[in-house]
Amino acid sequence: MKPVAFSWPSLCVVLFAAIGSLQPAAAQTTRITGTVTDATSGETLPFVNVSFIDSRVSTNSDLDGNYVLDSYYATDSIRVVSMGYAPFTAKVKRDVSQRIDIKLQPQTDQLEDVVITYAGNPAFPILRRLVANKPVNNREKLEAYEYEAYNKIEFDLNNITEDFTKKRIFKDFAFIFDHVDTTGGKPFLPIFMTETLSDVYYRQKPKAQREFIHGTKVSGLENASISQFMGDMYQNVNIYDNYLVIFGKNFISPIADGGKGFYDYHLLDSNWVGHNWCYKIAFKPKRVQELAFTGSMWVNDTSYAVKSIEATIAEGANLNFVQGFQVKQEYSEVQPEVWMLTKDQLVVDLNVIKDTGKKNENPVQGFYGRRTATYRDFVINQPKPEEFYKGADAVVMDIDPLSLGADYWDQHRHENLTKQEVAIYHMVDTMKTIPKFRTYVDIVSTVVTGYYTKGKVDIGPYFTTYSFNPIEGNRFRIGGRTSTNFSTRTEFNAYTAYGTKDQRFKFGVGGKTFVSKTSRQIVELGYKQDVEQMGESVNAFQQDNILSSLFRTAPNTKLTLVEESKASYMREWFTGLDNTLLLRYRTLYPLGDLEYLKPSPDGEPPTVINSIQTAEVALNTRFAYKEKYISGDFTRVSLGTVYPTLELHLAKGLPNLAQSEYGYQKVVAHVYQRLQLGVLGWTRINAEAGRVWGDLPYPLLILHSGNETFYYDDLAFNTMNYFEFISDRYAQLFVEHHFEGLFFNRIPLLRRMKWREVVAGKAVVGSLDLARTEKEMLLLPGMYSLDGGPFVEASAGIENILKILRVDAVWRLRYNDHPGTNAFALRLKLYINF
């Protein structure tokens, strides 16, 4: 797998990029008009109270008996009461305008005293109304809205003790500890901060949302991708959603529709909060280690909207590396019956090793991640013209040139920086000039990216320096690429490798350059002569990775020497949609146990073919709607999307190009989807189908992805050998479900270990026109078609072992009579997540 280089602030951004939100249902206003009259005399009745049942929303008829009841907070019926008349009720159609004329019957009976008592939890009626009004209290009920958003994110190194400050490695930049903040629980040192100012626009029908980022400031280290993520659309958490996806986990909202099944609630207080009379309700999880919150919220007594909420992740939650998590949100009624989030604060305490807090134990350094967002200048139900919402990108970098100066931020930021925050910018810029600090940054960068930067060259990756296999023997490799100090638009790369057994040099050279960074257009050229393992998945370790050598289940004796020339052009049309046009010419030489045997006529022995040549042109299309990602200078990593990711590969063989021997057509379609399933965990689905047309030898057909290592491969069949199954048409489905401790959390011993359950099933069906294929090249022993039915394997595993390991038991359910295969296997994987 190819490493990706990022600046160190980019790695920090991943923390907050893991925080996402879903879209709630929309609601509209309900408007009821009518006249109240005496049913006997026909006279109009003034000052009659008309209200929604089970609501505090009401109005009175005027002097002529006319009334208007207009609200987002409608229930399914109204109640009309007046002294001397019998109460009247009527059904209501929500979210539409309607007229209901009311005729009240006079009442002369004397009413007896009624005493009403309530024996249940007094928080439940409030909670019931809160949940019922969630659709109308979400801002997506509005026809349109816009606001100005200010986001400030800060990262701090915490647990800064006196002993820590005296360590020798800090000798040359000890001045940074002058900025340590000792207020609060843990002493911390601010190390990174960014500010973003943007305008956000939303329209309900047709649904559209856009954000224009006008100003960004990033601790002296500029990065456009970071600036995008610091905006409001990528960082918003919506408390009204039933599940909040935080660190990739499904946390149950305290105001979820079925919240009473996961939380205990207590009514603590009722009081004025600003100009609103509110109820204070505390909440905590019913069960230990559930992904839920502990905290309290103030709920308005008329709209039953959340006025403010403070929540922390419950102690003992099945979550790695997070020592603490606190969110505070404040909402305001910016105009009648329109509640909007006006302030959002988030604090995360991260530690790789848990800090137990014991007196005689040295505290472990961790990180605080802090986010403060404020919102103002709301404009409600005034949509922009249709053209305004058009555009490929939901987040647009529309930087005001004045934002580069300090005066801009002094005038536009919503809150003044503290003295400590002002010092961060100067401190970080100063640290960058200290050679020893740069050395430490280089070491960390090398470990993370695999490359060591020396001036204008990145040397690496280090994990391919040495490997071994039966064909090459001990393999030594050295390589590198130009660094961003050379160019941020053009990159060259090269490597050479040598095997002590085959005594042959291999090498590769290449380069890529941006035609345009605005529309992301990249041209890439490359040439190589090197050994490959054909039939492995794109997710597998590259062949010269030392881990691929160490964790093999069988010697890799079916290698191929590939000589390849290629040229490609990639164009991103808008965020989430791109095309890549590829032209390549390849010569394949079999190595080890592989042979290319062409059948001879009249029963003669087959002819040995030394190599095959092929040229092809291919067009790849990838579409991931509303995908989020972080970028390096040349490469970027997807952070996913809640929508399916679609890929289509089209290829055509060019038999008349150079010495190319084969003409063919190839189509492969792939769909990927990650589904968040609430308390049940999450599911990952990969579906793929393809076909090849043409008379082709087996190396150019579909080689189904096998795995001959102990390392679990998500995108391969882990009990299938390389070259075991070959097809010219196929369809496959991989389904993997992560229960996130759903069952283990209920077993005391396993709950303390924080193990999590995972199951998977994989199947592929296919066929092969064997007679047509063997006219070109004979299949070797151990190669089969899938004409006998689908290949199926299933697995069950435990992940989060020691927070870093996953172990799977894998069962091969069909074709167990094939030699060299096992019906059962154990596989492991390094799997680090929250």
Side-chain angles (χ1 to χ4, degrees):
M1 295 187 301
K2 188 175 180 179
V4 180
F6 297 108
S7 59
W8 66 270
S10 299
L11 300 176
C12 296
V13 169
V14 176
L15 167 65
F16 284 98
I19 301 175
S21 65
L22 305 176
Q23 296 298 331
Q28 297 177 358
T29 184
T30 300
R31 181 179 176 86
I32 307 170
T33 60
T35 304
V36 184
T37 59
D38 186 305
T40 302
S41 66
E43 294 181 358
T44 58
L45 299 176
F47 312 120
V48 176
N49 182 262
V50 183
S51 65
F52 288 109
I53 292 179
D54 199 21
S55 170
R56 297 176 65 90
V57 178
S58 65
T59 188
N60 291 323
S61 60
D62 61 17
L63 291 174
D64 296 321
N66 298 316
Y67 74 93
V68 176
L69 190 60
D70 191 356
S71 178
Y72 286 109
Y73 304 104
T75 61
D76 61 0
S77 54
I78 59 172
R79 179 181 176 86
V80 184
V81 294
S82 181
M83 186 69 69
Y85 291 90
F88 173 89
T89 61
K91 288 291 184 180
V92 169
K93 295 180 180 179
R94 298 189 195 185
D95 301 334
V96 296
S97 297
Q98 58 211 280
R99 181 177 181 86
I100 301 177
D101 290 323
I102 300 163
K103 296 181 180 181
L104 296 183
Q105 296 288 345
Q107 186 178 48
T108 58
D109 297 337
Q110 182 67 34
L111 298 178
E112 297 180 358
D113 291 340
V114 178
V115 178
I116 299 175
T117 60
Y118 180 72
N121 186 331
F124 285 173
I126 301 169
L127 185 67
R128 176 170 53 81
R129 294 183 178 96
L130 189 160
V131 171
N133 285 332
K134 278 169 54 177
V136 296
N137 285 323
N138 260 301
R139 57 190 180 183
E140 277 73 12
K141 71 182 180 185
L142 303 169
E143 178 187 359
Y145 62 76
E146 62 187 80
Y147 57 81
E148 182 182 84
Y150 168 74
N151 281 272
K152 177 175 63 181
I153 289 181
E154 177 184 324
F155 288 90
D156 311 317
L157 184 65
N158 63 28
N159 271 334
I160 304 297
T161 63
E162 185 176 353
D163 290 339
F164 180 80
T165 65
K166 293 180 179 179
K167 291 183 177 181
R168 291 183 59 186
I169 62 173
F170 301 119
K171 181 179 178 181
D172 293 339
F173 42 92
F175 70 91
I176 65 174
F177 297 114
D178 295 337
H179 301 284
V180 171
D181 192 327
T182 57
T183 60
K186 299 178 182 179
F188 63 89
L189 174 67
I191 57 173
F192 170 75
M193 191 174 75
T194 179
E195 297 176 272
T196 302
L197 193 70
S198 62
D199 290 326
V200 178
Y201 301 87
Y202 170 86
R203 182 190 62 190
Q204 186 189 111
K205 293 181 181 180
K207 199 164 192 177
Q209 187 168 4
R210 303 199 78 190
E211 179 177 16
F212 295 85
I213 296 179
H214 301 303
T216 180
K217 190 174 184 181
V218 187
S219 293
L221 299 174
E222 296 300 330
N223 183 295
S225 179
I226 292 178
S227 299
Q228 278 192 326
F229 271 102
M230 295 310 102
D232 185 63
M233 287 176 60
Y234 283 172
Q235 299 298 325
N236 214 315
V237 176
N238 192 339
I239 197 68
Y240 283 98
D241 292 335
N242 287 327
Y243 293 97
L244 309 179
V245 182
I246 302 173
F247 305 113
K249 309 296 181 185
N250 294 307
F251 282 81
I252 304 155
S253 171
I255 59 174
D257 292 349
K260 289 192 289 187
F262 302 95
Y263 286 95
D264 290 323
Y265 297 92
H266 301 280
L267 180 62
L268 301 182
D269 194 8
S270 58
N271 209 334
W272 289 101
V273 180
H275 299 291
N276 304 104
W277 184 260
C278 298
Y279 303 106
K280 186 177 183 179
I281 297 177
F283 48 86
K284 64 178 182 179
K286 283 182 175 293
R287 290 170 289 274
V288 178
Q289 285 203 331
E290 210 142 53
L291 295 179
F293 299 93
T294 298
S296 63
M297 56 186 167
W298 286 95
V299 181
N300 177 246
D301 79 327
T302 301
S303 63
Y304 293 95
V306 174
K307 171 64 177 172
S308 66
I309 186 168
E310 293 187 20
T312 61
I313 289 179
E315 186 176 355
N318 194 338
L319 196 64
N320 295 328
F321 315 123
V322 180
Q323 288 264 92
F325 178 98
Q326 183 180 43
V327 60
K328 296 181 181 180
Q329 292 187 336
E330 297 178 9
Y331 295 80
S332 297
E333 194 173 15
V334 297
Q335 71 177 45
E337 296 192 348
V338 177
W339 290 81
M340 299 290 284
L341 179 64
T342 53
K343 190 168 186 178
D344 189 5
Q345 293 177 290
L346 183 68
V347 179
V348 182
D349 183 2
L350 288 177
N351 278 91
V352 175
I353 303 175
K354 185 175 181 180
D355 181 9
T356 63
K358 294 180 180 179
K359 290 184 178 180
N360 297 325
E361 186 176 74
N362 290 327
V364 179
Q365 276 64 53
F367 289 92
Y368 281 136
R370 307 172 188 270
R371 173 181 181 257
T372 300
T374 54
Y375 311 98
R376 68 185 188 189
D377 299 339
F378 294 94
V379 178
I380 306 299
N381 290 337
Q382 297 182 27
K384 298 287 187 182
E386 176 68 26
E387 291 296 321
F388 179 84
Y389 298 98
K390 292 183 178 179
D393 296 319
V395 180
V396 179
M397 300 298 295
D398 184 23
I399 301 299
D400 185 338
L402 296 177
S403 67
L404 302 177
D407 291 343
Y408 176 91
W409 292 99
D410 291 339
Q411 295 174 19
H412 290 85
R413 65 167 57 97
H414 294 188
E415 296 179 343
N416 292 329
L417 297 181
T418 65
K419 182 179 179 181
Q420 194 82 358
E421 290 169 338
V422 172
I424 295 176
Y425 290 113
H426 175 72
M427 182 187 70
V428 172
D429 288 339
T430 303
M431 288 172 62
K432 288 169 56 183
T433 64
I434 300 174
K436 197 168 186 179
F437 174 77
R438 291 302 315 167
T439 300
Y440 294 145
V441 172
D442 290 342
I443 293 173
V444 173
S445 178
T446 300
V447 173
V448 173
T449 67
Y451 287 86
Y452 174 73
T453 301
K454 185 67 175 178
K456 297 182 178 181
V457 177
D458 292 337
I459 302 171
Y462 62 82
F463 45 78
T464 63
T465 302
Y466 171 77
S467 59
F468 59 89
N469 62 68
I471 307 300
E472 297 178 279
N474 296 303
R475 174 186 166 109
F476 299 91
R477 167 177 159 155
I478 185 171
R481 65 190 183 193
T482 55
S483 70
T484 54
N485 296 326
F486 171 80
S487 174
T488 58
R489 297 186 64 91
T490 301
E491 176 187 278
F492 298 104
N493 60 79
Y495 74 90
T496 185
Y498 181 78
T500 58
K501 186 175 180 179
D502 66 355
Q503 297 184 348
R504 177 182 292 178
F505 280 99
K506 298 89 181 175
F507 68 95
V509 294
K512 54 187 172 183
T513 187
F514 278 95
V515 178
S516 170
K517 283 198 170 186
T518 304
S519 57
R520 194 170 179 83
Q521 300 179 57
I522 301 175
V523 171
E524 186 170 358
L525 301 174
Y527 176 82
K528 74 172 184 179
Q529 291 184 18
D530 205 351
V531 172
E532 287 187 12
Q533 176 64 71
M534 300 183 69
E536 64 180 7
S537 80
V538 296
N539 200 44
F541 288 122
Q542 63 187 75
Q543 186 56 38
D544 53 2
N545 189 316
I546 183 59
L547 295 179
S548 177
S549 302
L550 293 175
F551 290 102
R552 296 199 58 81
T553 59
N556 49 342
T557 57
K558 298 178 181 178
L559 298 176
T560 303
L561 179 65
V562 178
E563 181 179 357
E564 179 182 79
S565 303
K566 67 177 182 179
S568 68
Y569 167 73
M570 191 279 286
R571 166 70 185 262
E572 182 178 63
W573 302 99
F574 56 85
T575 301
L577 176 64
D578 63 69
N579 286 119
T580 300
L581 183 64
L582 171 68
L583 176 65
R584 69 176 180 176
Y585 185 91
R586 295 199 304 168
T587 304
L588 308 181
Y589 303 88
L591 300 176
D593 294 339
L594 277 185
E595 288 185 293
Y596 295 166
L597 301 176
K598 190 175 182 66
S600 299
D602 303 325
E604 295 292 325
T607 303
V608 176
I609 303 174
N610 293 325
S611 65
I612 57 176
Q613 290 83 31
T614 178
E616 74 172 20
V617 60
L619 178 65
N620 298 320
T621 302
R622 183 177 183 276
F623 178 59
Y625 183 58
K626 292 189 176 181
E627 182 178 37
K628 301 176 183 179
Y629 56 86
I630 55 174
S631 295
D633 288 293
F634 294 97
T635 313
R636 64 185 183 185
V637 173
S638 170
L639 296 175
T641 171
V642 298
Y643 302 96
T645 298
L646 310 175
E647 295 183 61
L648 179 64
H649 172 77
L650 306 174
K652 180 176 177 57
L654 305 174
N656 299 319
L657 181 63
Q659 298 180 357
S660 176
E661 304 170 71
Y662 303 99
Y664 57 90
Q665 296 82 40
K666 182 177 182 180
V667 176
V668 177
H670 181 265
V671 180
Y672 168 80
Q673 171 82 85
R674 173 172 170 149
L675 300 173
Q676 298 288 351
L677 300 178
V679 295
L680 298 179
W682 58 276
T683 295
R684 178 167 51 203
I685 301 173
N686 280 281
E688 187 174 287
R691 182 168 182 179
V692 180
W693 292 268
D695 298 329
L696 296 174
Y698 71 80
L700 301 184
L701 294 171
I702 305 296
L703 306 177
H704 294 291
S705 299
N707 182 15
E708 295 183 5
T709 72
F710 289 106
Y711 197 84
Y712 186 87
D713 190 336
D714 296 317
L715 298 181
F717 293 95
N718 289 281
T719 56
M720 182 188 292
N721 293 330
Y722 298 134
F723 290 98
E724 184 177 357
F725 289 100
I726 300 171
S727 300
D728 55 25
R729 69 193 72 185
Y730 75 104
Q732 67 184 31
L733 178 66
F734 293 1
V735 180
E736 182 175 276
H737 183 75
H738 298 251
F739 286 100
E740 299 287 61
L742 177 66
F743 305 109
F744 288 170
N745 284 348
R746 286 155 176 78
I747 304 172
L749 176 60
L750 299 180
R751 183 171 64 223
R752 287 195 295 270
M753 300 180 76
K754 295 190 176 183
W755 287 359
R756 302 166 186 166
E757 320 85 342
V758 57
V759 295
K762 301 178 180 180
V764 57
V765 295
S767 65
L768 176 66
D769 189 335
L770 187 59
R772 189 174 183 181
T773 299
E774 292 205 323
K775 287 182 180 179
E776 298 296 328
M777 185 175 292
L778 297 176
L779 299 187
L780 299 181
M783 296 182 181
Y784 307 90
S785 72
L786 286 166
D787 292 325
F791 179 89
V792 183
E793 70 176 24
S795 64
I798 300 173
E799 58 187 2
N800 208 42
I801 300 173
L802 303 177
K803 299 184 179 180
I804 61 171
L805 286 178
R806 168 179 165 179
V807 177
D808 286 81
V810 187
W811 291 269
R812 177 174 169 137
L813 303 182
R814 303 199 74 237
Y815 296 100
N816 292 329
D817 57 336
H818 288 185
T821 63
N822 296 301
F824 175 79
L826 286 176
R827 297 288 183 263
L828 60 83
K829 180 181 180 180
L830 287 173
Y831 185 71
I832 303 174
N833 71 352
F834 288 102

